Amino acid sequence: MAGLVRTVEPTLEPVSLQEQKDHARILDSQEDALIASYITAARAQCEATQGQAYVTQTWRKQIDRFPVYRRLNPHRAIYLDRPPLQAVTSVTYIATDGTSTVMPSSDYTVNTDAMPGYITPRYNTSWPSAQLVPNAVTVVYQAGYGGTGASVAATTSAAQVPVQTKLAIKVLAQHYYQNRDMDTPMPQAVASLLTSSDHGCYMVPSPEDYL
């Protein structure tokens, strides 16, 4: 069993209200709030389709136990959903005596270059022993474009979102605007833009596949 929750939402959208209005050739401001909501909805849908995070946001991933050696996961990695990975805030586990314990950051290695990013135990060491209970291991981390580190600014992050992804958000937001009460499929152009963007689409391995 595993859980994934976004605990801190992005504070900025990759596409600004004015950029969306320019794309849609909207000159007045009567429906600005509505258009902004479509941008947010389109961004969320595009993120879900790509399995990514765009602008700096915080996630909490919980798994039942630390990975052990497997042929498919020889480094005992914990893969972190919604790349790109910016930084890991904490790794907490329920120790065998029942106490909630925070691992020192020096005891694990963070790979922010991989897509998706992951953490592994420090070289020549193993993960600590944890109780065999649901959600025994919790990883809190930041994800989004703009580089690595625990405090990537939203403006920096938004500026680094691939241009194809931004266009996909604009096209989808415009689709929502034009088809407000109609059950119409996502435009094919959106899917094409997302799969052709710099990083494409990602599916993090299921915990059952690599634990």
Side-chain angles (χ1 to χ4, degrees):
M1 187 173 81
L4 183 69
V5 177
R6 179 161 46 198
T7 59
V8 179
E9 297 283 339
T11 59
L12 190 68
E13 295 296 342
V15 174
S16 71
L17 175 62
Q18 189 58 54
E19 287 173 329
Q20 183 63 39
K21 291 173 67 174
D22 289 343
H23 172 81
R25 298 179 181 177
I26 298 172
L27 300 179
D28 60 66
S29 58
Q30 295 179 4
E31 297 185 303
D32 281 4
L34 182 64
I35 296 169
S37 72
Y38 289 149
I39 294 171
T40 299
R43 182 264 303 164
Q45 180 60 56
C46 290
E47 283 184 319
T49 300
Q50 284 196 297
Q52 290 190 28
Y54 297 153
V55 179
T56 302
Q57 52 196 260
T58 302
W59 288 83
R60 182 181 68 232
K61 179 166 186 171
Q62 293 181 300
I63 55 178
D64 291 347
R65 59 186 174 88
F66 286 109
V68 296
Y69 176 85
R70 291 286 188 272
R71 180 177 60 84
L72 295 177
N73 186 20
H75 301 296
R76 298 158 291 167
I78 298 176
Y79 293 93
L80 300 175
D81 307 67
R82 296 300 183 105
L85 175 63
Q86 292 178 346
V88 172
T89 303
S90 64
V91 178
T92 307
Y93 65 99
I94 300 176
T96 53
D97 63 1
T99 59
S100 179
T101 305
V102 179
M103 284 188 66
S105 58
S106 58
D107 286 354
Y108 56 87
T109 299
V110 181
N111 188 338
T112 57
D113 293 328
M115 290 283 282
Y118 59 84
I119 57 175
T120 57
R122 184 171 50 84
Y123 175 73
N124 210 29
T125 66
S126 298
W127 291 116
S129 297
Q131 278 194 353
L132 295 177
V133 296
N135 298 326
V137 180
T138 300
V139 183
V140 177
Y141 59 97
Q142 273 104 35
Y145 287 92
T148 60
S151 57
V152 178
T155 51
T156 301
S157 186
Q160 294 301 313
V161 175
V163 63
Q164 299 100 316
T165 301
K166 291 184 178 182
L167 181 54
I169 294 171
K170 293 176 186 178
V171 172
L172 186 55
Q174 175 67 358
H175 174 75
Y176 291 155
Y177 182 80
Q178 293 178 327
N179 301 276
R180 304 184 189 191
D181 300 314
M182 299 175 61
D183 184 15
T184 57
M186 177 189 295
Q188 181 58 42
V190 175
S192 298
L193 285 165
L194 294 177
T195 54
S196 67
S197 69
D198 292 353
H199 292 111
C201 302
Y202 293 89
M203 293 297 293
V204 170
S206 168
E208 289 74 17
D209 294 336
Y210 65 82
L211 287 179

